[in-house]
mmCIF file of all heavy atoms in Angstrom:
data_model
loop_
_atom_site.group_PDB
_atom_site.id
_atom_site.type_symbol
_atom_site.label_atom_id
_atom_site.label_comp_id
_atom_site.label_asym_id
_atom_site.label_seq_id
_atom_site.Cartn_x
_atom_site.Cartn_y
_atom_site.Cartn_z
ATOM 1 N N LYS A 45 125.471 -88.680 124.668
ATOM 2 C CA LYS A 45 126.300 -87.625 123.897
ATOM 3 C C LYS A 45 125.608 -87.541 122.561
ATOM 4 O O LYS A 45 125.030 -88.478 121.960
ATOM 5 C CB LYS A 45 127.728 -88.148 123.644
ATOM 6 C CG LYS A 45 128.553 -87.369 122.712
ATOM 7 C CD LYS A 45 128.741 -85.991 123.222
ATOM 8 C CE LYS A 45 129.548 -85.148 122.151
ATOM 9 N NZ LYS A 45 129.662 -83.642 122.537
ATOM 10 N N SER A 46 125.574 -86.319 121.944
ATOM 11 C CA SER A 46 124.960 -86.193 120.678
ATOM 12 C C SER A 46 125.586 -87.062 119.655
ATOM 13 O O SER A 46 126.804 -87.021 119.451
ATOM 14 C CB SER A 46 125.012 -84.749 120.209
ATOM 15 O OG SER A 46 124.275 -83.858 121.126
ATOM 16 N N ASN A 69 134.747 -75.332 126.240
ATOM 17 C CA ASN A 69 135.002 -76.552 125.539
ATOM 18 C C ASN A 69 134.896 -76.290 124.023
ATOM 19 O O ASN A 69 134.025 -75.566 123.607
ATOM 20 C CB ASN A 69 134.083 -77.640 125.967
ATOM 21 C CG ASN A 69 132.777 -77.709 125.225
ATOM 22 O OD1 ASN A 69 132.763 -78.347 124.119
ATOM 23 N ND2 ASN A 69 131.723 -77.103 125.794
ATOM 24 N N SER A 70 135.732 -77.042 123.326
ATOM 25 C CA SER A 70 135.522 -77.111 121.835
ATOM 26 C C SER A 70 135.779 -78.612 121.515
ATOM 27 O O SER A 70 136.741 -78.910 120.713
ATOM 28 C CB SER A 70 136.458 -76.174 121.133
ATOM 29 O OG SER A 70 136.130 -76.226 119.766
ATOM 30 N N MET A 71 134.915 -79.538 121.994
ATOM 31 C CA MET A 71 135.229 -80.969 121.797
ATOM 32 C C MET A 71 135.074 -81.354 120.373
ATOM 33 O O MET A 71 135.819 -82.248 119.914
ATOM 34 C CB MET A 71 134.100 -81.720 122.519
ATOM 35 C CG MET A 71 134.036 -81.359 124.052
ATOM 36 S SD MET A 71 135.561 -81.434 124.972
ATOM 37 C CE MET A 71 135.608 -83.263 125.158
ATOM 38 N N GLY A 72 134.170 -80.702 119.581
ATOM 39 C CA GLY A 72 134.040 -81.101 118.190
ATOM 40 C C GLY A 72 133.285 -82.256 117.935
ATOM 41 O O GLY A 72 133.528 -83.093 116.996
ATOM 42 N N LEU A 73 132.276 -82.618 118.773
ATOM 43 C CA LEU A 73 131.380 -83.699 118.596
ATOM 44 C C LEU A 73 132.016 -84.997 118.511
ATOM 45 O O LEU A 73 131.598 -85.897 117.691
ATOM 46 C CB LEU A 73 130.506 -83.418 117.297
ATOM 47 C CG LEU A 73 129.001 -83.062 117.501
ATOM 48 C CD1 LEU A 73 128.404 -82.856 116.177
ATOM 49 C CD2 LEU A 73 128.248 -84.306 118.206
ATOM 50 N N PRO A 74 132.989 -85.359 119.413
ATOM 51 C CA PRO A 74 133.477 -86.688 119.484
ATOM 52 C C PRO A 74 132.357 -87.628 120.052
ATOM 53 O O PRO A 74 131.567 -87.274 120.794
ATOM 54 C CB PRO A 74 134.574 -86.657 120.527
ATOM 55 C CG PRO A 74 134.112 -85.473 121.472
ATOM 56 C CD PRO A 74 133.440 -84.509 120.608
ATOM 57 N N ALA A 98 122.959 -85.120 116.515
ATOM 58 C CA ALA A 98 123.400 -83.871 115.943
ATOM 59 C C ALA A 98 123.953 -84.210 114.557
ATOM 60 O O ALA A 98 125.086 -84.735 114.443
ATOM 61 C CB ALA A 98 124.408 -83.363 116.845
ATOM 62 N N ASN A 124 119.885 -81.967 118.652
ATOM 63 C CA ASN A 124 120.787 -80.881 119.022
ATOM 64 C C ASN A 124 120.905 -79.932 117.943
ATOM 65 O O ASN A 124 121.578 -80.149 116.881
ATOM 66 C CB ASN A 124 122.137 -81.488 119.425
ATOM 67 C CG ASN A 124 123.045 -80.329 120.068
ATOM 68 O OD1 ASN A 124 122.791 -79.231 119.860
ATOM 69 N ND2 ASN A 124 124.170 -80.903 120.572
ATOM 70 N N SER A 126 122.298 -77.010 118.319
ATOM 71 C CA SER A 126 123.128 -75.918 118.867
ATOM 72 C C SER A 126 124.594 -76.218 119.193
ATOM 73 O O SER A 126 125.245 -75.648 120.107
ATOM 74 C CB SER A 126 122.490 -75.502 120.200
ATOM 75 O OG SER A 126 122.241 -76.689 120.963
ATOM 76 N N CYS A 127 125.172 -77.154 118.515
ATOM 77 C CA CYS A 127 126.585 -77.369 118.767
ATOM 78 C C CYS A 127 127.413 -76.292 118.119
ATOM 79 O O CYS A 127 127.403 -75.995 116.961
ATOM 80 C CB CYS A 127 127.024 -78.677 118.057
ATOM 81 S SG CYS A 127 128.766 -78.980 118.411
ATOM 82 N N PRO A 128 128.180 -75.592 119.039
ATOM 83 C CA PRO A 128 128.888 -74.420 118.604
ATOM 84 C C PRO A 128 130.277 -74.755 118.078
ATOM 85 O O PRO A 128 131.006 -73.786 117.710
ATOM 86 C CB PRO A 128 129.053 -73.595 119.941
ATOM 87 C CG PRO A 128 129.056 -74.585 121.012
ATOM 88 C CD PRO A 128 128.224 -75.845 120.472
ATOM 89 N N ASN A 129 130.703 -75.991 118.086
ATOM 90 C CA ASN A 129 132.095 -76.410 117.865
ATOM 91 C C ASN A 129 132.378 -77.194 116.680
ATOM 92 O O ASN A 129 133.547 -77.778 116.516
ATOM 93 C CB ASN A 129 132.636 -77.028 119.145
ATOM 94 C CG ASN A 129 132.404 -76.198 120.330
ATOM 95 O OD1 ASN A 129 132.574 -74.953 120.285
ATOM 96 N ND2 ASN A 129 132.052 -76.745 121.470
ATOM 97 N N ASN A 190 122.269 -74.739 125.743
ATOM 98 C CA ASN A 190 123.527 -75.389 125.423
ATOM 99 C C ASN A 190 124.553 -74.359 125.824
ATOM 100 O O ASN A 190 124.236 -73.267 126.370
ATOM 101 C CB ASN A 190 123.677 -75.651 123.928
ATOM 102 C CG ASN A 190 124.579 -76.783 123.544
ATOM 103 O OD1 ASN A 190 125.653 -76.843 124.190
ATOM 104 N ND2 ASN A 190 124.200 -77.600 122.664
ATOM 105 N N SER A 191 125.888 -74.684 125.668
ATOM 106 C CA SER A 191 126.902 -73.785 126.114
ATOM 107 C C SER A 191 126.764 -72.432 125.451
ATOM 108 O O SER A 191 126.190 -72.341 124.338
ATOM 109 C CB SER A 191 128.283 -74.325 125.830
ATOM 110 O OG SER A 191 128.395 -74.829 124.501
ATOM 111 N N GLY A 215 132.662 -73.202 123.701
ATOM 112 C CA GLY A 215 131.397 -73.021 124.445
ATOM 113 C C GLY A 215 131.647 -72.903 125.922
ATOM 114 O O GLY A 215 132.394 -73.642 126.495
HETATM 115 C C1 ERO B 401 127.247 -81.619 120.241
HETATM 116 C C2 ERO B 401 128.326 -80.768 120.330
HETATM 117 C C3 ERO B 401 128.558 -79.913 121.393
HETATM 118 C C4 ERO B 401 129.864 -79.758 121.961
HETATM 119 C C5 ERO B 401 131.034 -80.393 121.300
HETATM 120 O O1 ERO B 401 131.034 -81.649 121.089
HETATM 121 O O2 ERO B 401 131.979 -79.547 121.001
HETATM 122 N N1 ERO B 401 130.076 -78.838 122.907
HETATM 123 C C6 ERO B 401 129.089 -78.159 123.508
HETATM 124 O O3 ERO B 401 129.262 -77.408 124.493
HETATM 125 N N2 ERO B 401 127.800 -78.298 123.117
HETATM 126 C C7 ERO B 401 127.534 -79.143 122.059
HETATM 127 O O4 ERO B 401 126.380 -79.294 121.635
#
Side-chain angles (χ1 to χ4, degrees):
K45 170 66 183 176
S46 295
N69 91 82
S70 185
M71 310 302 284
L73 248 176
N124 184 347
S126 48
C127 180
N129 301 319
N190 204 321
S191 53

